[in-house]
Amino acid sequence: MADNERLGGAKIEGAERLGEDAGELQENLRHKMESEGRNYDRSSELEDAKHNVERAFEKGHDARGNKTYQPKQSLPTPKQSIKKATQAQKKIEYKKTLKSIQREMNPVERTFSKIIHNPVVEATSEVAGKTIARPAALLAGSLSALILTTIIYVTAKYYGYVLSGFEWIATFIVGWSIGLIIDWIRVEILGKKAGSV
């Protein structure tokens, strides 16, 4: 019940402020009109003042009549031509970003980051990622190593053979080769990109 009374009091307070604002606007308009030497109609002036106050209340005041702050909307600007960054600009921004991130790392992380972001290491990594370290080839190699090594191990145990330890490496290479061929066929011949089904 007390909340309803407070809310009603807040509405009355807001209405009183609206009345005061309307009076101030009316007075300002009257002075403006008198200074310009024009005749004015008090009823239309009052309506204009009320309309201005209501608009101000809707845009910038809450239910209690207090001023609220709303973010300003930016005016639409004519379309400007968007220039793409050049390769040199991209390189400069990359180096700036890398240095700012490395400043926040501890010394061990910073040293490791400098090693792996060395241009020679990055270029080698890119070439390896595009050729021998393809995800599909690595997945095929891992799965084949798991499956084929298990089969070889079970067979060797059953017949009593001794394993040398090279079986896992050999089965991984076989699976990796098969995966690389399948990936090459998928990308080069069928034209499907990585991630597409």
Side-chain angles (χ1 to χ4, degrees), residues 140-158 161-176:
S142 300
L143 288 176
S144 68
L146 176 69
I147 294 167
L148 293 176
T149 304
T150 304
I151 292 171
I152 291 171
Y153 177 77
V154 170
T155 306
K157 273 292 193 191
Y158 183 76
Y161 291 111
V162 178
L163 298 177
S164 68
F166 181 73
E167 296 81 15
W168 184 88
I169 296 170
T171 55
F172 179 84
I173 291 171
V174 168
W176 173 80

Side-chain angles (χ1 to χ4, degrees), residues 57-114:
F57 185 77
E58 288 172 357
K59 287 185 178 179
H61 294 83
D62 59 11
R64 295 181 182 157
N66 297 327
K67 186 164 180 99
T68 58
Y69 296 98
Q70 298 175 347
K72 292 183 180 179
Q73 295 177 351
S74 61
L75 298 174
T77 58
K79 287 193 174 186
Q80 299 172 351
S81 62
I82 299 173
K83 296 180 181 177
K84 291 189 177 184
T86 64
Q87 199 65 23
Q89 290 171 332
K90 288 179 182 179
K91 237 181 221 183
I92 291 169
E93 285 303 314
Y94 173 73
K95 287 180 181 177
K96 282 182 187 177
T97 305
L98 190 60
K99 284 185 181 182
S100 71
I101 292 171
Q102 285 175 345
R103 270 188 241 121
E104 296 179 18
M105 294 178 176
N106 64 39
V108 174
E109 291 173 334
R110 188 177 309 124
T111 304
F112 181 71
S113 176
K114 286 181 181 180

Side-chain angles (χ1 to χ4, degrees), residues 112-125:
F112 181 71
S113 176
K114 286 181 181 180
I115 292 170
I116 65 169
H117 290 104
N118 184 327
V120 174
V121 175
E122 280 186 340
T124 306
S125 175

